[in-house]
Amino acid sequence: MAESKIKKKRAYHHGDLRGQLLSAARNLLEEHGPDGFSMSDACRLAGVSTAAPYRHFANKQDLLLEVAKDGLQRLGAEMEENASKYDRGTVPSISAIGRVYVDFAIREPHTFRLMFSTRSHSGRIEELREVGRASYGVLLREVARYLGEQDINETVTRAAFPLWTQVHGLSFLAIDGKLEVTAFPVDIDESILIATERLLPPAADAKA
């Protein structure tokens, strides 16, 4: 008990108690699913007392909402980082965003499902949508660059939406095991690249 109190105080003093609990919950989520662990389980894994979470989270549903929001934020950061490895506003940079999207789903399938679950976050879905819009903005900005648009306008959103639906559907096919039962080989990288090339309208320089 004393050791737990020390860990609790030390974590809170360093400002990482919330992060520790989010990390513990995410690990338990991936191992057992959203219904397979309790707040107490998260506390034990984080090495804190059972009272510790209530400094930051009202209940388990609140904790799961924050795990989902954190997942969307991390996804957005990863997409931006991967796109920056290529010339901006190009098919390769946009394809790189799609590849990260699918990779994230395969790596953290339960977190990915939670990020897009409206039923799991009843009453607070708008909070999640706000974070999701920021993450989606990475794709919108890259498509805007590709089209030579200065702002995120209707032209940009219309061009970006089919790209998102393609990788979103591919992500769920992957994590649901549907790709494993197809009668033909599936190359995810190639599929994303081909879809990006075919779904995008002509680039800004091609229209000039």
Side-chain angles (χ1 to χ4, degrees), residues 22-38:
L22 283 175
S23 178
R26 188 168 68 243
N27 289 335
L28 289 167
L29 173 67
E30 291 304 331
E31 187 173 353
H32 304 291
D35 299 321
F37 72 97
S38 65

Side-chain angles (χ1 to χ4, degrees), residues 9 13 76 84 94 180 185 200:
K9 290 180 180 178
H13 174 73
S84 69
I94 295 171
E180 299 171 5
L200 280 171

Side-chain angles (χ1 to χ4, degrees), residues 46-61:
V48 299
S49 75
T50 54
Y54 301 101
R55 294 179 184 270
H56 299 282
F57 311 108
N59 48 44
K60 182 183 172 183
Q61 185 178 7

Side-chain angles (χ1 to χ4, degrees), residues 43-208:
C43 291
R44 281 192 291 272
L45 186 58
V48 299
S49 75
T50 54
Y54 301 101
R55 294 179 184 270
H56 299 282
F57 311 108
N59 48 44
K60 182 183 172 183
Q61 185 178 7
D62 189 28
L63 176 60
L64 288 175
L65 174 67
E66 295 303 318
V67 169
K69 288 163 66 175
D70 174 71
L72 285 166
Q73 289 168 342
R74 290 186 294 112
L75 175 60
E78 288 181 28
M79 291 192 300
E80 177 63 36
E81 180 182 3
N82 218 39
S84 69
K85 297 175 182 177
Y86 302 86
D87 291 337
R88 302 310 296 257
T90 61
V91 168
S93 68
I94 295 171
S95 297
I97 290 173
R99 178 71 241 203
V100 166
Y101 195 94
V102 179
D103 280 347
F104 188 102
I106 293 172
R107 187 178 72 240
E108 301 183 40
H110 283 296
T111 300
F112 187 81
R113 291 184 192 279
L114 190 68
M115 286 156 50
F116 295 99
S117 172
T118 55
R119 184 177 60 183
S120 300
H121 313 294
S122 177
R124 300 183 62 187
I125 191 64
E126 188 53 39
E127 292 180 45
L128 193 62
R129 284 176 178 162
E130 184 176 350
V131 180
R133 283 191 287 267
S135 180
Y136 188 52
V138 175
L139 174 62
L140 292 176
R141 289 190 294 274
E142 203 63 24
V143 172
R145 293 184 181 105
Y146 170 86
L147 294 173
E149 298 287 346
Q150 298 301 311
D151 302 305
I152 306 301
N153 53 33
E154 185 177 351
T155 299
V156 173
T157 56
R158 283 180 177 274
F161 185 72
L163 297 170
W164 174 65
T165 59
Q166 192 269 336
V167 294
H168 193 70
L170 184 57
S171 294
F172 275 101
L173 286 172
I175 65 179
D176 286 341
K178 299 296 193 297
L179 298 181
E180 299 171 5
V181 297
T182 58
F184 51 89
V186 177
D187 186 317
I188 291 178
D189 285 333
E190 182 181 46
S191 296
I192 293 173
L193 179 60
I194 291 173
T196 303
E197 291 173 333
R198 292 182 178 177
L199 292 172
L200 280 171
D205 53 3
K207 295 184 291 185

